[in-house]
Amino acid sequence: ESDKEEPQLLPNESVQDMAHDITYFCPFTGALRGTVMVTNYRLFFKSMDREPAFMLDMPLGVVSRVEKIGNASTRGDVSYGVVCKDMRNLRFAHKQLEETIKKSIFEVLMKFAFPVSNGLQIFAFEYGQVFPENGWKVYDPIAEYKRQGIPNESWRITKVNDHFELCDTYPSTLVVPVNIPDEELKRVAAFRAKGRIPVLSWIHPESQATVTRCSQPMVGVNGKRSKEDEKYLQAIMDANAQSHKLFIFDARPSVNAAANKMKGGGYESEDAYQNAELVFLDIHNIHVMRESLRKLKDVVYPNIEDSHWLSNLESTHWLEHIKLILAGALRIADKVESGKTSVVVHCSDGWDRTAQLTSLSMLMLDGFYRTIRGFEVLLEKEWLSFGHRFQLRIGHGDKNHTDADRSPVFIQFIDCVWQLTRQFPAAFEFNEYFLVTILEHLYSCLFGTFLCNSEQQRLKEEIPKRTVSLWSYINSQLEEFTNPMYVNYSNQVLFPVVSLRHLELWVGYYIRWNPRMKPQEPIHQRHKELLAKRAELQKRVDELQREVTNRSVSSSSERPSSPTRSITPVQTFV
Amino acid sequence: MFSGKPVKATFKCYLPPAQTDVKTSPIEPPIKLEPRFLPGEIIVNEANFVRKCISPDNGQDDLWGRLICTNFKVSFIPQEPPPKQKAQLSHLLLGQHDISLTCLEQVVTVNDTRGKRKVLGSNKKLKFNPAELILYCKDLRVIRFCFDEAGPESAKKVCLAIAHYSHPADLHLLFGFEYQGLRYHEYKANPVNGSDPKGGTQIPFFDRPSDWDREIKRTGASEWRVCSINEEYVISHSLPEYIVVPVSLTDQEVKQYSTSFSDGRVALWCWNHRNGSALVRMAGLKDPLAQKKPVEKILTAITKSHRQRQEVILSDLDKSLPNIQDIQSAFVKARQICTLDPFEESEERWLSAIENSRWLEYIRMFLKHSAEVVYNLEGRNVSVVLLEEEDRDLNCVVSSLVQLMLDPHYRSLNGFQSLVQKEWVMAGHRFLDRCNHLKKNDNKESPLFTLFLDCVWQMTNQYPAAFEFTEAYLTVLSDSMWIPLFSTFLFNSSKQCNDLLQEFAKNKAIPQDENHTVFFPPVWNWSQQFSSRDQTLFNNPMYVGKGAACVQNGEVKTFQRTKKAFSSTMRIPSTSHRNGVRAEEEHFHRRGSLVSELKADFSPVKDESPSERFFRDWFSRPADQQGLLIPLVLPSHVVLWKLFFLRWVPEACIPHGGPATVYHKVSQLVDEIETLQSKLRQYKGASPRGTPVPSSSGPPKDQTRMYFKATSPGDSPASPDILNSSFPFSPVGNLCRRSVQGTPISKFLNGAKTWLSTETLSNDTF
């Protein structure tokens, strides 16, 4: 075996098949001949045609579908296309196999790329790497609410959902207004889609204005009302003494919200909810977003058309969607910060657009979430514990690539975060690589973090026990993911300019497969060099200083004294 | 000068109430702004009680004051100046509210009753009393004055005066002549400052053989020599008096061949590669049907000057690049989109509007073409002759871009300035016509130099550590085109500059002896325009080069990404950036969304051309900031230069954000490093036996190179409030368009609220 050509395998990764004389049609450099290896985790292709050797190393989790391509049989070749979830497509071919005894390696690939559909286990359950840090300990809801000052005189932590009886897509720990007893919560739950009642996400440390999240009210065509729900929202408003108004942000376009009445849903009427003002944020649904990203992939992969780039980009509407989401989050942050007014955020079910809006506005409002650990907490809290359906939206290990539940909601959120880091390059502790890494492992199925749809499911599957957290990996090598330019202005609220003048396509993610796109972080790199230089100089200055002090001490006094620093070191904050 | 008329009793009620508390602040007492005049500057006309519009929607932030038209500028003197704003670029010749007349693009008056607009030219009549005056400026500002309280007659007069004086009938009438003439007498009376024609800078002018000689030596162009055949401009009116030619050509041959070329512009040497290949620029033949012999002779001579006698490549720019009218129209469109169109309305089609302007497309074409030339010089080791009919426009852009890519010397501040001097000023770029300073011939106007600066910015954006200067420098340089005091941007050729100065001296009876003469200083002596502290805004803290913080003693070299801490034990596959594929592939095919996904993505692949391979190889290696630099020309990587195009747009201003926050952070770090370095020098400087005495402070604070100083431990780490995406410029009051429609929240989203609340309007350091 020519095992020098193999990649280093992960713990419990095993080779499933290997085939030589495979052609990979690289869209950038042309056809390459080489060897393909399929393991239970990855697809690995290596060609010695080029110098240096060409390698392609891809986790199977990114595979969306594998297709045998038509009648390329003129020369007896069989061709396969691999469509990926991470903005690329691959095409391979090999000679027609003379006997049907041996399966094509791409048939093997199909089996292991879709373990869920084939009764196999997702690789995260087998990966047994041990890390110094335990990422599963990053988020403790009680500690996070305590950081926010909860419980306080207006808000309490309830255990009513301890066994997920109130709402099976919510976490077990919820924060609700003090004066609403658990019994009433159940009646509120009956009026909210999927039982997702309004609960606290964030509270302003000074004004006590809150961000609360929920699902749509079950108003229906007849305009049903719920006394308990109305009282509940009043209680949210009353918990904030600074304002006599409550803003309800409905993430949807008003037309969509109205259409939901046909399905029993709808939105709060301002008649029923006094002192509440309803605002629609015009963010489109998961299907529109999926279509938009599909178009974007067409525009950026494999090659970017030299002319019409910007109008092609415009026609995908991707940046327009990003803009609407950020604009919505900005309005929420502004209401809370400048208006000192509490807000309720929902969409239909409250697990897609709502998660985007609450987490982005919290990122603008609270500097803690702009640190690496804080961002992990934010994801664990607003996305994972509140039931963003990662399994459905990404379709881990599932061959059903046309599933209408798939949607890039989370990618869009990370994109929005990246836009914020572009506008405020010194306000975030993490770098671009951190965001790219999160998206890579969103698909890779190497870590358990993004598996399942809810906290309840994760507990049932014993995810923390059986898999490794992505945060274990990241927190064990923080240096890689740290933005050296970070300045901790934690008490500063970020108000981005939500305009296409400043929103950009995230080339470092969407166009990263293009070899003409030179991956670089030159500013960060340069900054690290400078930091090293400073450390070195400081050391030399300190040494000389010590020498001076020692010399003067030995000449003037017999008693050794601790070296005093006559030079106050200047200091920048890193 | 300023009479300080008593304020009308009704006046107070117009003042914005928000400022009252600021005014009572004991720390920053308001300073009465007085008009300041340069030597030779006189008031032509003025109007009192003029309102300068600050925000387009309501008048509450507007300023009241006096509008003055001089023979140099339009000046506005606010009655009640707001407190000084710290750390903002302030101009020594022009105040915050001043506009040089040369900077005016269009003077428009608006009729009171029907809102009728009239563009005012020289000697125009005005039938109505203007209610408003809108000044469209060449630096993209739009400034609006209202005359609701001013006397109708004086309003009319001042508008007409501005229109008239911004259209000088003759180059002599540009204020610079008056100014420099008076300065001559000043210097003569008080020669302490000396009348060094270079204005104290060290930049070679390329107006004397020694400058060229040094350049020949620096680039190792041993087969080239300085030729003085064009002394007194006998063979060409637009070439410099001294040019560099192949050693194999005699002066007589140069003279003989020159007659065949347009304006006698025989081949002009620009630069030499160490490998022997040369970059040469050349005009077209006077008569395209005439014999090609002179061209052949010259090409043969260039070949002989190549160490390996390599062939010469002709690169015809007229055929492959947009012409000057295309460029002008692209710029006009880009300006329209960025600064004139209503902000919110233009959001929806912003991307396609930018595309339709074609500005970015042209930037890419120039960068790409220059990179091709670089490939020939570096990759193929052949000399390249840039060919353009007149050799005075496109050749300037491409020759200077090629040199920036190949030669790190030109990426230093002085190197860059000498490059502009060599390839633009001395090579006879028609600045006078292209800037349209006399507003006489619109179809000769074209922002070639701005296009060049934008191309340079694209490279600084892609390689932030490779250039000694900042984008603020590039922006300020472009603004300097509109101040008629510097020789750099005023003339069509060095001959024109010399001729005009001589004529002027004759008329003013100034003796033309060797030591004392009237001169126009170049723009390069920046202390003419900015304080030394403000000039530190030009220094790029990230620069890796001579004098940069890191490379100085070679101890910290290029930074390598730290190996993944767990790479050996954890064996995490790096699926990220390095899926080995590298290519320079230009294969484009439109994909309709109806075509099946697979078909589209698995289209066949074209073979690589040698130049594509050259670029691919280069991109696959880490870039050496002090070596060859090739810009990425993917359309996704050539982007709008926001500081230049959007700095005046309040809605686009990111409070506490933008590149300035990085600049701030890195500057502080570098300042700290320099402080430590100077401490080390002090230790080392002290006698080794004696007791070294460290001084309590670092270098004198005014001598540090960085605008932002390292914070001392007591300081708050928060970013200073002045930082925003327009830094070091202020959008406040510099872009006052007609009202923008929109709900209050949309205004907030546009950033209006945030910038209004932090606004401060003036600095008094004028």
Side-chain angles (χ1 to χ4, degrees):
Chain A
E1 281 284 320
S2 54
D3 41 15
K4 269 181 198 146
E5 290 180 21
E6 288 173 24
Q8 282 201 308
L9 297 187
L10 299 169
N12 299 326
E13 183 182 1
S14 55
V15 178
Q16 305 298 323
D17 198 4
M18 208 160 169
H20 300 281
D21 278 341
I22 306 276
T23 307
Y24 166 59
F25 297 97
C26 173
F28 308 107
T29 51
L32 292 152
R33 198 160 266 279
T35 305
V36 165
M37 185 177 87
V38 171
T39 74
N40 50 349
Y41 173 68
R42 83 184 81 204
L43 174 131
F44 184 76
F45 171 81
K46 181 165 185 172
S47 166
M48 304 299 282
D49 283 2
R50 292 265 163 82
E51 189 56 51
F54 176 95
M55 276 179 286
L56 193 135
D57 188 347
M58 181 179 84
L60 297 181
V62 306
V63 177
S64 173
R65 69 183 145 121
V66 183
E67 268 186 19
K68 197 166 172 176
I69 299 171
N71 50 349
S73 56
T74 38
R75 285 172 301 149
D77 279 1
V78 198
S79 193
Y80 287 87
V82 180
V83 178
C84 300
K85 298 171 181 176
D86 64 352
M87 307 298 285
R88 59 181 158 164
N89 297 330
L90 313 171
R91 186 179 155 193
F92 298 94
H94 60 65
K95 288 258 174 311
Q96 188 82 52
L97 299 165
E98 278 163 24
E99 277 126 61
T100 42
I101 315 159
K102 194 177 184 311
K103 262 199 213 161
S104 160
I105 189 158
F106 296 100
E107 306 290 324
V108 178
L109 171 71
M110 272 188 247
K111 183 176 163 193
F112 287 93
F114 309 116
V116 172
S117 306
N118 292 307
L120 298 170
Q121 206 164 42
I122 285 180
F123 184 71
F125 292 105
E126 298 177 38
Y127 178 57
Q129 185 67 53
V130 178
F131 291 91
E133 294 284 324
N134 182 356
W136 295 120
K137 295 230 164 92
V138 161
Y139 177 58
D140 169 11
I142 302 289
E144 164 58 13
Y145 289 121
K146 193 175 168 208
R147 184 190 71 86
Q148 295 188 23
I150 303 285
N152 61 16
E153 66 276 15
S154 309
W155 295 89
R156 68 185 178 94
I157 293 174
T158 173
K159 288 279 164 193
V160 68
N161 202 37
D162 235 2
H163 303 289
F164 308 103
E165 282 160 342
L166 181 81
C167 172
D168 61 359
T169 57
Y170 260 8
S172 54
T173 307
L174 297 174
V175 174
V176 296
V178 162
N179 53 356
I180 308 288
D182 284 354
E183 271 316 298
E184 268 181 61
L185 293 179
K186 286 173 189 162
R187 286 196 287 278
V188 175
F191 188 65
R192 290 277 163 179
K194 315 271 193 317
R196 294 171 68 92
I197 61 169
V199 291
L200 179 135
S201 277
W202 191 77
I203 185 163
H204 195 286
E206 282 153 24
S207 70
Q208 305 285 296
T210 54
V211 178
T212 46
R213 59 181 290 172
C214 57
S215 61
Q216 64 182 338
M218 299 307 280
V219 174
V221 273
N222 299 324
K224 215 167 68 188
R225 289 177 62 165
S226 158
K227 278 273 161 294
E228 292 80 7
D229 195 71
E230 288 160 26
K231 183 183 162 195
Y232 189 87
L233 260 57
Q234 183 67 36
I236 291 173
M237 197 198 88
D238 292 341
N240 169 17
Q242 303 266 356
S243 172
H244 301 292
K245 229 178 156 69
L246 182 71
F247 270 85
I248 303 173
F249 286 101
D250 189 325
R252 303 166 292 185
S254 58
V255 187
N256 299 29
N260 260 287
K261 288 184 175 175
M262 306 302 292
K263 292 182 265 173
Y267 51 89
E268 296 82 356
S269 79
E270 288 177 13
D271 294 338
Y273 296 85
Q274 284 176 4
N275 306 320
E277 193 173 324
L278 183 69
V279 179
F280 293 104
L281 293 178
D282 287 328
I283 301 168
H284 286 281
N285 64 26
I286 59 165
H287 312 294
V288 176
M289 302 308 185
R290 182 178 56 237
E291 184 56 18
S292 176
L293 187 65
R294 190 195 63 74
K295 283 187 192 155
L296 182 64
K297 184 173 175 177
D298 274 356
V299 171
V300 300
Y301 189 88
N303 278 307
I304 289 171
E305 208 178 315
D306 245 357
S307 49
H308 310 297
W309 156 249
L310 290 174
S311 51
N312 285 344
L313 180 59
E314 185 175 272
S315 69
T316 70
H317 299 290
W318 183 254
L319 288 179
E320 217 176 293
H321 294 312
I322 296 281
K323 176 183 165 171
L324 281 169
I325 294 164
L326 278 169
L330 176 59
R331 292 176 72 160
I332 292 167
D334 175 51
K335 269 288 163 272
V336 172
E337 169 71 19
S338 319
K340 299 182 161 82
T341 307
S342 293
V343 300
V344 174
V345 185
H346 71 71
C347 45
S348 295
D349 292 315
W351 50 43
D352 292 313
R353 286 166 277 195
T354 302
Q356 290 176 333
L357 289 169
T358 55
S359 49
L360 284 170
S361 56
M362 287 156 75
L363 209 51
M364 293 172 195
L365 288 162
D366 189 340
F368 169 67
Y369 299 122
R370 295 175 222 142
T371 65
I372 290 180
R373 274 172 196 276
F375 191 74
E376 291 166 359
V377 166
L378 185 71
L379 292 190
E380 287 284 346
K381 180 175 183 297
E382 292 301 305
W383 288 85
L384 293 157
S385 85
F386 277 100
H388 174 70
R389 303 196 292 173
F390 280 100
Q391 175 63 42
L392 270 176
R393 296 287 176 255
I394 306 301
H396 295 307
D398 187 343
K399 70 174 180 191
N400 184 13
H401 61 87
T402 55
D403 190 345
D405 271 324
R406 292 198 185 173
S407 186
V409 177
F410 184 71
I411 292 99
Q412 217 167 20
F413 161 71
I414 296 290
D415 191 328
C416 290
V417 175
W418 179 81
Q419 305 285 351
L420 290 176
T421 65
R422 289 290 288 177
Q423 294 198 19
F424 303 98
F428 292 84
E429 193 192 10
F430 47 83
N431 57 19
E432 179 177 15
Y433 184 58
F434 175 74
L435 297 176
V436 172
T437 303
I438 289 175
L439 288 187
E440 252 165 33
H441 293 296
L442 170 68
Y443 301 117
S444 75
C445 291
L446 184 60
F447 300 101
T449 301
F450 298 116
L451 299 183
C452 301
N453 291 317
S454 65
E455 187 173 299
Q456 185 195 31
Q457 280 185 16
R458 256 169 240 122
L459 281 179
K460 196 173 147 228
E461 296 286 330
E462 297 180 289
I463 296 288
K465 214 181 278 174
R466 296 168 61 209
T467 71
V468 179
S469 162
L470 172 59
W471 318 133
S472 305
Y473 165 67
I474 284 177
N475 295 350
S476 298
Q477 44 181 339
L478 284 175
E479 169 71 3
E480 281 287 296
F481 303 104
T482 305
N483 169 15
M485 237 91 62
Y486 175 56
V487 181
N488 178 14
Y489 3 85
S490 47
N491 47 12
Q492 193 161 312
V493 178
L494 306 182
F495 288 125
V497 172
V498 182
S499 153
L500 284 166
R501 270 108 170 140
H502 286 293
L503 301 180
E504 298 165 54
L505 185 76
W506 185 8
V507 291
Y509 180 69
Y510 301 110
I511 314 189
R512 70 204 150 119
W513 307 122
N514 192 320
R516 288 202 292 164
M517 144 74 208
K518 202 174 169 64
Q520 50 184 205
E521 275 186 280
I523 296 179
H524 291 211
Q525 237 179 60
R526 178 75 182 132
H527 199 85
K528 282 186 179 175
E529 284 172 35
L530 291 171
L531 287 174
K533 179 77 184 175
R534 181 185 62 180
E536 175 211 311
L537 286 169
Q538 186 74 61
K539 202 178 121 209
R540 278 162 58 192
V541 168
D542 287 351
E543 278 167 12
L544 284 167
Q545 177 65 42
R546 218 171 294 128
E547 210 177 293
V548 171
T549 317
N550 289 343
R551 206 177 295 154
S552 60
V553 162
S554 58
S555 60
S556 66
S557 131
E558 306 85 357
R559 247 192 342 211
S561 64
S562 62
T564 47
R565 301 181 104 195
S566 67
I567 304 171
T568 321
V570 281
Q571 166 180 4
T572 48
F573 294 81
V574 185
Chain B
M1 283 184 257
F2 184 44
S3 54
K5 280 180 190 165
V7 180
K8 268 206 245 172
T10 55
F11 212 83
K12 257 181 189 152
C13 58
Y14 292 103
L15 293 171
Q19 289 171 3
T20 43
D21 55 334
V22 185
K23 268 187 288 176
T24 55
S25 154
I27 307 152
E28 297 270 1
I31 298 156
K32 196 92 173 164
L33 284 186
E34 295 287 339
R36 293 275 197 101
F37 300 114
L38 298 176
E41 189 176 2
I42 47 162
I43 295 185
V44 174
N45 216 308
E46 62 183 301
N48 275 309
F49 310 117
V50 175
R51 182 159 60 93
K52 182 180 176 183
C53 301
I54 299 299
S55 83
D57 305 302
N58 54 45
Q60 68 163 355
D61 299 300
D62 291 353
L63 294 173
W64 290 88
R66 181 174 163 215
L67 181 64
I68 300 172
C69 173
T70 75
N71 53 346
F72 169 52
K73 65 178 182 253
V74 177
S75 188
F76 178 76
I77 314 298
Q79 201 79 21
E80 297 277 340
K84 179 187 173 181
Q85 179 159 12
K86 278 189 211 131
Q88 271 261 344
L89 190 64
S90 62
H91 204 278
L92 297 176
L93 302 172
L94 290 162
Q96 162 119 12
H97 301 284
D98 294 350
I99 312 140
S100 106
L101 291 170
T102 324
C103 187
L104 292 176
E105 168 87 26
Q106 214 173 46
V107 178
V108 175
T109 50
V110 184
N111 187 331
D112 193 8
T113 45
R114 279 176 297 163
K116 200 181 139 195
R117 293 161 64 97
K118 178 166 174 145
V119 179
L120 290 185
S122 178
N123 285 322
K124 281 273 171 65
K125 294 273 186 300
L126 196 54
K127 282 176 192 153
F128 55 81
N129 288 325
E132 273 181 35
L133 169 69
I134 305 175
L135 301 177
Y136 294 90
C137 304
K138 298 211 180 185
D139 60 6
L140 310 194
R141 285 183 292 171
V142 179
I143 295 176
R144 207 149 64 97
F145 296 104
C146 291
F147 299 115
D148 25 12
E149 292 290 313
E153 273 308 308
S154 66
K156 193 174 181 176
K157 275 184 187 156
V158 79
C159 290
L160 288 171
I162 291 169
H164 182 73
Y165 277 83
S166 60
H167 290 76
D170 189 281
L171 189 54
H172 275 131
L173 296 171
L174 281 179
F175 176 67
F177 284 92
E178 187 67 37
Y179 178 62
Q180 303 303 356
L182 279 162
R183 275 178 36 129
Y184 163 78
H185 291 295
E186 239 174 61
Y187 285 139
K188 213 177 154 193
N190 177 22
V192 185
N193 295 327
S195 55
D196 174 12
K198 292 190 179 182
T201 63
Q202 298 303 308
I203 315 296
F205 268 36
F206 296 99
D207 60 346
R208 58 190 69 178
S210 58
D211 290 344
W212 289 104
D213 256 333
R214 222 171 292 128
E215 195 65 2
I216 286 174
K217 289 209 180 71
R218 196 184 66 78
T219 58
S222 51
E223 297 297 307
W224 297 79
R225 67 177 182 93
V226 183
C227 161
S228 50
I229 195 78
N230 197 35
E231 264 176 359
E232 308 286 323
Y233 304 100
V234 290
I235 67 162
S236 167
H237 287 182
S238 61
L239 283 181
E241 288 189 88
Y242 304 96
I243 59 174
V244 174
V245 297
V247 287
S248 58
L249 284 183
T250 65
D251 282 6
Q252 270 318 304
E253 282 172 313
V254 173
K255 191 170 185 178
Q256 183 195 333
Y257 301 146
S258 73
T259 55
S260 305
F261 289 91
S262 169
D263 191 33
R265 290 183 70 104
V266 71
L268 178 63
W269 175 88
C270 305
W271 185 81
N272 240 67
H273 195 286
R274 287 278 157 194
N275 66 18
S277 52
L279 179 68
V280 181
R281 50 192 286 179
M282 194 162 85
L285 290 175
K286 266 183 194 158
D287 177 5
L289 301 172
Q291 278 203 342
K292 298 277 188 284
K293 211 173 166 192
V295 178
E296 283 160 21
K297 292 276 187 192
I298 285 170
L299 295 185
T300 310
I302 295 173
T303 304
K304 277 189 194 157
S305 284
H306 193 295
R307 215 170 292 146
Q308 276 119 43
R309 306 285 181 268
Q310 284 269 26
E311 55 169 322
V312 176
I313 292 222
L314 283 175
S315 175
D316 189 339
L317 303 194
D318 289 322
K319 283 189 184 137
S320 42
L321 291 169
N323 63 35
I324 62 162
Q325 282 88 17
D326 295 337
I327 293 165
Q328 168 70 0
S329 105
F331 183 73
V332 167
K333 282 182 200 152
R335 176 175 63 195
Q336 172 77 29
I337 300 157
C338 291
T339 61
L340 301 176
D341 288 347
F343 190 88
E344 201 48 41
E345 280 87 328
S346 51
E347 271 289 284
E348 202 182 328
R349 306 275 297 153
W350 170 258
L351 294 174
S352 47
I354 287 290
E355 177 177 296
N356 290 337
S357 78
R358 308 192 74 174
W359 179 255
L360 292 179
E361 183 187 331
Y362 293 163
I363 300 274
R364 288 183 52 227
M365 286 169 80
F366 275 93
L367 286 171
K368 201 168 167 183
H369 195 93
S370 305
E372 288 288 333
V373 174
V374 166
Y375 161 68
N376 282 307
L377 290 165
E378 164 101 16
R380 294 185 58 210
N381 190 10
V382 295
S383 295
V384 179
V385 176
L386 304 176
L387 207 60
E388 187 197 2
E389 197 186 331
E390 285 203 316
D391 180 30
R392 297 172 73 176
D393 289 306
L394 309 181
N395 273 2
C396 300
V397 183
V398 173
S399 68
S400 31
L401 284 176
V402 167
Q403 292 172 69
L404 273 172
M405 293 176 196
L406 282 163
D407 191 341
H409 167 67
Y410 295 121
R411 296 178 217 138
S412 70
L413 185 61
N414 279 341
F416 181 75
Q417 300 186 147
S418 75
L419 182 69
V420 174
Q421 195 64 36
K422 177 160 71 92
E423 297 301 330
W424 292 80
V425 182
M426 293 316 282
H429 177 64
R430 301 172 193 274
F431 277 108
L432 179 65
D433 292 345
R434 298 295 171 251
C435 294
N436 202 10
H437 285 315
L438 301 181
K439 302 184 178 65
K440 274 190 178 149
N441 201 339
D442 287 352
N443 57 24
K444 281 188 184 170
E445 183 171 353
S446 184
L448 266 296
F449 191 66
T450 307
L451 176 101
F452 165 65
L453 293 180
D454 198 334
C455 290
V456 177
W457 178 81
Q458 302 288 344
M459 290 184 65
T460 64
N461 186 44
Q462 293 177 8
Y463 302 102
F467 294 81
E468 191 179 15
F469 44 86
T470 58
E471 63 172 327
Y473 167 78
L474 293 173
T475 313
V476 159
L477 182 56
S478 90
D479 289 348
S480 303
M481 277 195 280
W482 316 117
I483 298 173
L485 305 179
F486 315 118
S487 59
T488 316
F489 303 121
L490 270 190
F491 304 103
N492 281 338
S493 64
S494 61
K495 178 177 192 296
Q496 188 187 27
C497 177
N498 289 353
D499 290 354
L500 281 163
L501 281 174
Q502 273 182 21
E503 200 181 318
F504 177 78
K506 216 162 78 191
N507 292 342
K508 294 265 172 180
I510 295 171
Q512 289 291 297
D513 63 71
E514 278 300 306
N515 297 323
H516 288 286
T517 180
V518 183
F519 66 93
F520 262 93
V523 71
W524 313 125
N525 179 6
W526 290 101
S527 52
Q528 297 170 100
Q529 295 191 65
F530 300 102
S531 68
S532 52
R533 168 161 162 77
D534 277 356
Q535 286 177 55
T536 58
L537 283 166
F538 300 167
N539 296 332
N540 173 13
M542 259 161 308
Y543 179 55
V544 180
K546 275 184 198 160
C550 247
V551 193
Q552 224 163 24
N553 46 17
E555 278 163 11
V556 180
K557 287 193 187 119
T558 47
F559 176 83
Q560 303 282 315
R561 174 156 221 147
T562 47
K563 273 216 165 142
K564 286 199 171 174
F566 298 91
S567 56
S568 53
T569 53
M570 277 168 30
R571 293 174 287 171
I572 294 276
S574 60
T575 55
S576 62
H577 294 303
R578 36 190 93 73
N579 257 320
V581 277
R582 301 243 171 254
E584 178 72 6
E585 181 55 53
E586 299 261 2
H587 191 82
F588 299 112
H589 37 85
R590 277 208 85 113
R591 290 180 296 276
S593 53
L594 295 175
V595 184
S596 103
E597 207 178 328
L598 280 175
K599 240 185 202 162
D601 293 333
F602 299 133
S603 42
V605 171
K606 196 183 71 174
D607 279 337
E608 249 182 321
S609 75
S611 70
E612 284 164 352
R613 188 176 169 86
F614 173 79
F615 293 131
R616 175 165 67 85
D617 281 350
W618 189 83
F619 283 121
S620 68
R621 292 188 302 265
D624 173 9
Q625 307 292 330
Q626 284 296 294
L628 171 67
L629 278 193
I630 297 172
L632 286 150
V633 293
L634 280 179
S636 52
H637 286 71
V638 174
V639 295
L640 189 75
W641 182 11
K642 286 180 201 160
L643 186 69
F644 180 82
F645 282 103
L646 299 177
R647 65 187 149 141
W648 311 124
V649 184
E651 299 96 323
C653 180
I654 307 169
H656 307 293
T661 55
V662 170
Y663 173 76
H664 172 240
K665 185 77 202 294
V666 183
S667 298
Q668 286 188 327
L669 179 55
V670 169
D671 182 59
E672 204 178 324
I673 286 172
E674 286 173 356
T675 307
L676 287 168
Q677 278 169 337
S678 96
K679 270 180 198 160
L680 276 181
R681 273 195 301 275
Q682 283 166 15
Y683 278 119
K684 283 175 183 161
S687 114
R689 292 289 164 219
T691 310
V693 185
S695 75
S696 54
S697 65
K701 279 295 173 192
D702 55 340
Q703 278 177 24
T704 58
R705 294 191 309 124
M706 291 300 123
Y707 188 77
F708 292 109
K709 311 287 180 267
T711 47
S712 52
D715 289 356
S716 138
S719 71
D721 285 346
I722 51 156
L723 291 183
N724 59 47
S725 58
S726 292
F727 180 84
F729 306 95
S730 165
V732 177
N734 284 323
L735 190 68
C736 207
R737 291 159 299 194
R738 285 319 213 130
S739 305
V740 180
Q741 303 299 312
T743 59
I745 186 66
S746 83
K747 273 173 212 148
F748 170 75
L749 295 182
N750 297 339
K753 183 185 157 187
T754 17
W755 71 264
L756 278 177
S757 60
T758 54
E759 98 181 31
T760 37
L761 273 162
S762 169
N763 52 66
D764 56 359
T765 49
F766 174 66

